[in-house]
Amino acid sequence: MIGKCVLLLTDKCNASCKYCLQGSHEHDRIANRADYDINKVVSSIPKNTEIEIQFFGGEPLLEFNTMIEVAYKIKSMNPKAFFRTITNGILLTKDKVDRFNELDFGVLISHDGKLHKILRGYDDILTTNPELFAGIKKRAFATTATSLNYDFYEIWDYFSNEAIRLGFNPSEFPCRINIIEDCGSTDKSLMIYNNLGFEAMLKKVFCNMTKEIKRGNFDCVEFIQNASLLDTLFSRISGKQKISPMCGYDFTTVTLDLAGNLYHCPNVFTKTGSINTRGFKTGEFNPYIHTLACQNCEALLLCGGGCTASPSSSKHYDCYIKKLQYKLLIKFLNDCSGGI
């Protein structure tokens, strides 16, 4: 069952982040505006049901007017739809913030803490325009952990301190940490691999999470960070969920552009069909899940073969992270429930 629809607006971007999954390119690989069929695309989205609509890029604010036009159309046809977008924040203005609030958008700002400018190449919105981000009702940060900034606690402390500095409660500046992945364009020096410091930090996260959950505290940052991993693992152990890549792009998410072209995922701009032909098929895109190495790996239950776009030469990076997470998740479940 489709629970999320990703609308690709552009793959152009006004930044050049070192770890970008999409890499650099000379032209927009998304459909030309002349080929847009917005009404047909909107009509294809499920109605009378709660569904997440995520506007994605590139940098989606480069196509802000189109984003808002489409959001209004979707809302008029399905009041239960809700919207999210992720942005670097460079193009935020008061008018854009007001529109986001009017449509109840969840806005995720990409931000890498104290190494923000080093990794992303542009000034920190919390320094240049803090009032803009603070004005968004549903706001959060997303940080990518790399070999340069892998300590979750340093990242969480950074945003807690920034919240306090700007007169907010730390809980109002939530930060979700994503661990760097490789789709072939990533700077390999930023990959986390065989890193004892990272391993010790991750063990600390799960140790603290175990203590907090045993106290009945489900609001701790450690649990919030790992809740989706736990839900995925538990659902697969119980047989309620198919084993597939954790991103969900094989089974629960559909990705399309405004011309109606379907894509496997937002980071791989290869068309797989069209809403006109219904050519999109699920569960056929992962080149790793049926290999002997994956089938013999206990972490397959969690990662489902990993990122489908990751080149085989870089697969060991993702495997390293997923195996660590899997072992710590199983230990957590055993420690908290006496077994699974």
Side-chain angles (χ1 to χ4, degrees):
M1 180 178 179
I2 299 300
K4 179 166 71 174
C5 177
V6 178
L7 292 178
L8 296 174
L9 299 176
T10 179
D11 74 336
K12 293 180 180 178
C13 190
N14 52 354
S16 299
C17 304
K18 289 186 176 182
Y19 51 72
C20 182
L21 295 177
Q22 297 175 8
S24 58
H25 45 87
E26 296 180 356
H27 58 277
D28 201 330
R29 293 165 287 188
I30 307 301
N32 295 322
R33 189 175 298 274
D35 297 324
Y36 281 8
D37 195 342
I38 292 176
N39 289 331
K40 179 173 282 189
V41 169
V42 170
S43 296
S44 73
I45 295 173
K47 302 171 184 62
N48 300 317
T49 183
E50 289 188 2
I51 184 169
E52 175 183 339
I53 309 298
Q54 184 180 100
F55 293 94
F56 205 82
E59 170 49 51
L61 264 63
L62 288 169
E63 297 291 336
F64 179 79
N65 290 336
T66 301
M67 183 198 307
I68 297 302
E69 176 190 351
V70 173
Y72 277 124
K73 286 180 180 291
I74 292 173
K75 202 68 172 177
S76 68
M77 298 181 70
N78 182 3
K80 295 181 180 180
F82 56 98
F83 307 116
R84 300 188 192 281
T85 192
I86 181 168
T87 173
N88 56 39
I90 295 172
L91 298 177
L92 270 181
T93 63
K94 178 64 165 58
D95 177 64
K96 291 184 176 71
V97 169
D98 290 342
R99 290 294 187 94
F100 282 144
N101 289 340
E102 179 184 347
L103 287 161
D104 207 27
F105 260 76
V107 180
L108 196 61
I109 301 284
S110 298
H111 193 295
D112 291 327
K114 65 181 181 181
L115 294 185
H116 182 84
K117 191 163 187 176
I118 292 173
L119 289 169
R120 302 185 66 86
Y122 56 89
D123 289 334
D124 176 0
I125 188 175
L126 288 178
T127 300
T128 57
N129 292 299
E131 69 282 354
L132 292 176
F133 181 75
I136 299 171
K137 291 179 180 178
K138 290 187 175 180
R139 56 180 181 264
F141 289 104
T143 290
T144 297
T146 71
S147 61
L148 299 180
N149 63 325
Y150 60 76
D151 191 313
F152 288 13
Y153 288 100
E154 286 187 1
I155 294 169
W156 288 327
D157 286 346
Y158 177 88
F159 289 105
S160 291
N161 292 333
E162 284 298 290
I164 293 170
R165 180 179 70 84
L166 295 171
F168 290 87
N169 186 297
S171 64
E172 295 180 270
F173 272 33
C175 174
R176 177 64 184 268
I177 302 170
N178 302 303
I179 300 172
I180 187 171
E181 293 182 320
D182 182 21
C183 282
S185 60
T186 311
D187 181 344
K188 303 300 185 289
S189 70
L190 298 176
M191 300 304 295
I192 301 173
Y193 187 66
N194 289 344
N195 187 312
L196 295 179
F198 175 78
E199 292 175 20
M201 182 278 302
L202 205 59
K203 288 178 182 177
K204 178 182 177 183
V205 168
F206 278 86
C207 180
N208 288 343
M209 182 168 70
T210 301
K211 292 177 182 177
E212 292 300 320
I213 295 305
K214 285 185 175 181
R215 295 187 185 117
N217 178 20
F218 289 84
D219 293 324
C220 62
V221 291
E222 294 91 350
F223 182 75
I224 293 171
Q225 173 70 28
N226 290 291
S228 61
L229 287 177
L230 284 162
D231 182 62
T232 296
L233 183 58
F234 197 77
S235 295
R236 292 177 181 180
I237 289 172
S238 64
K240 294 180 180 179
Q241 186 183 116
K242 295 178 180 179
I243 296 177
S244 64
M246 288 190 62
C247 61
Y249 294 123
D250 268 2
F251 294 102
T252 60
T253 300
V254 62
T255 302
L256 67 160
D257 62 29
L258 294 179
N261 297 305
L262 294 159
Y263 299 78
H264 173 45
C265 90
N267 289 306
V268 181
F269 297 98
T270 302
K271 298 178 179 65
T272 61
S274 164
I275 58 172
N276 297 315
T277 62
R278 298 294 176 184
F280 181 78
K281 297 180 181 180
T282 62
E284 298 182 354
F285 296 94
N286 193 295
Y288 303 110
I289 192 169
H290 298 300
T291 63
L292 190 61
C294 280
Q295 288 295 311
N296 290 335
C297 178
E298 59 183 359
L300 178 64
L301 196 63
L302 178 66
C303 76
C307 177
T308 61
S310 177
S312 57
S313 59
S314 299
K315 192 67 178 167
H316 59 290
Y317 294 125
D318 192 39
C319 292
Y320 167 71
I321 299 297
K322 291 298 186 292
K323 288 176 181 178
L324 282 175
Q325 290 176 320
Y326 178 80
K327 290 177 181 178
L328 290 169
L329 285 165
I330 292 295
K331 185 178 187 305
F332 167 80
L333 290 173
N334 282 322
D335 288 345
C336 288
S337 64
I340 52 175

